[in-house]
Amino acid sequence: MGREPLRVLIVDDKGDDARAMAEALRDGFGAVVSSCSSIGEAVGRIRRERPEAIVLAYGALEAEGWETLKAIGGGPKAPITVVTGQGSESVAVAVRAAEAQRRRWEEASELNKTSRAVAASLELDGVVEAALDGVMALLRADGAWVLLPEDGGVLELVGARGAAPGGRADPSAGFESCVRVPIAAKQGQAPGFLCAGAKRPEAFDSHQVELLSTIASHAASAVANARLFGLLARAKAQWERTFDSISDPILISDDRFRVMRLNRAAAHCLKLRVQEAPGRVCHELLLGSEEPCPWHEAVLRGVPVSSDRYLPHVGRWFAFSAFPFAEADGRPVGVVHVLRDITEERRRVVSHRVATRAGADE
């Protein structure tokens, strides 16, 4: 995280003291300093400048009365330090308190940003990248990496940031300091780990370990969701490949007989593109009719239905089989239509009948 200079407001009715304190703050802390001589003026400055630390000279406070402190104390979030004279030590305390508060705000903001980024992705790579970005920003680490259990519970490096002297074999090698926290897994499963490394010794304190743990807790559920999404995506892709590899035309309609999807064989048979069919009513698509077709009975009765039908816009006969499918409670929610081209079979039957009748006439 880039750090802007600390903004400090000095309230002092003695100009020389105010200038001396301002100089000390600029030279010692690199602060951006503004000053005013009264609490009344300070209230307006606070609204406009939003200082991160307020140094209030005792003389200015005493001159205007202690009750006027409420005018400041009720408004700003910045710490207020009351000093006497130049109060160099008190000023330093005020600045350190303001810097500590700024760090807390920055950490809270970065944690919130990291949490949103981790939760926003359904891809494992995206979750890991967001977690690693958060570690690098919050811990100011030289390196960060994620280890997750793969098949057999073996930990695999799934992502890394920054310097990683050890490479994939040992990402921690070459760092003077390393810390890792578990990425919680389901009961009975081996956990993964979120790790950080630094090139300096004793780089991580208990507070930074706590920050790392917080990121890991956000990442844990996101990793589980991403892996589940990956499994579902692979299962869906496999199902679609299987569905499209079947040579017989297949359509799936809902309980209102609107086509939800069809395989490539059905699209080819109906002279459609696959994306043109969803949403169309099945009997209009197949038969060119507004009248409900016999396959509606599959939904109404909850039993498979079969029939032979001629599709005029295709110019061929098909044997239709309609198989209803239902929710867990038995409520029908759709139909799987399987078509089989029987045009040649019917021609052979007709030819055989004609030949048999001709023989009988002779």
Side-chain angles (χ1 to χ4, degrees), residues 93-115:
V93 169
V95 171
R96 292 191 190 101
E99 288 181 329
Q101 181 163 292
R102 172 193 269 192
R103 284 196 298 272
R104 289 194 295 272
W105 289 344
E106 288 177 340
E107 286 174 357
S109 175
E110 189 64 41
L111 277 174
N112 186 45
K113 174 184 173 183
T114 300
S115 176

Side-chain angles (χ1 to χ4, degrees), residues 176-243:
E176 290 292 325
S177 305
C178 289
V179 62
R180 74 176 191 175
V181 296
I183 296 177
K186 293 181 179 179
Q187 188 173 5
Q189 295 181 345
F193 292 95
L194 180 60
C195 314
K199 296 178 180 178
R200 60 195 185 280
E202 300 180 1
F204 305 111
D205 57 23
S206 59
H207 177 64
Q208 289 172 306
V209 174
E210 183 180 349
L211 290 174
L212 191 64
S213 297
T214 301
I215 298 172
S217 68
H218 290 307
S221 58
V223 166
N225 290 339
R227 286 193 152 176
L228 177 59
F229 178 78
L231 288 174
L232 293 175
R234 289 191 292 273
K236 179 177 181 290
Q238 184 178 21
W239 182 87
E240 288 178 341
R241 288 194 298 270
T242 302
F243 186 60

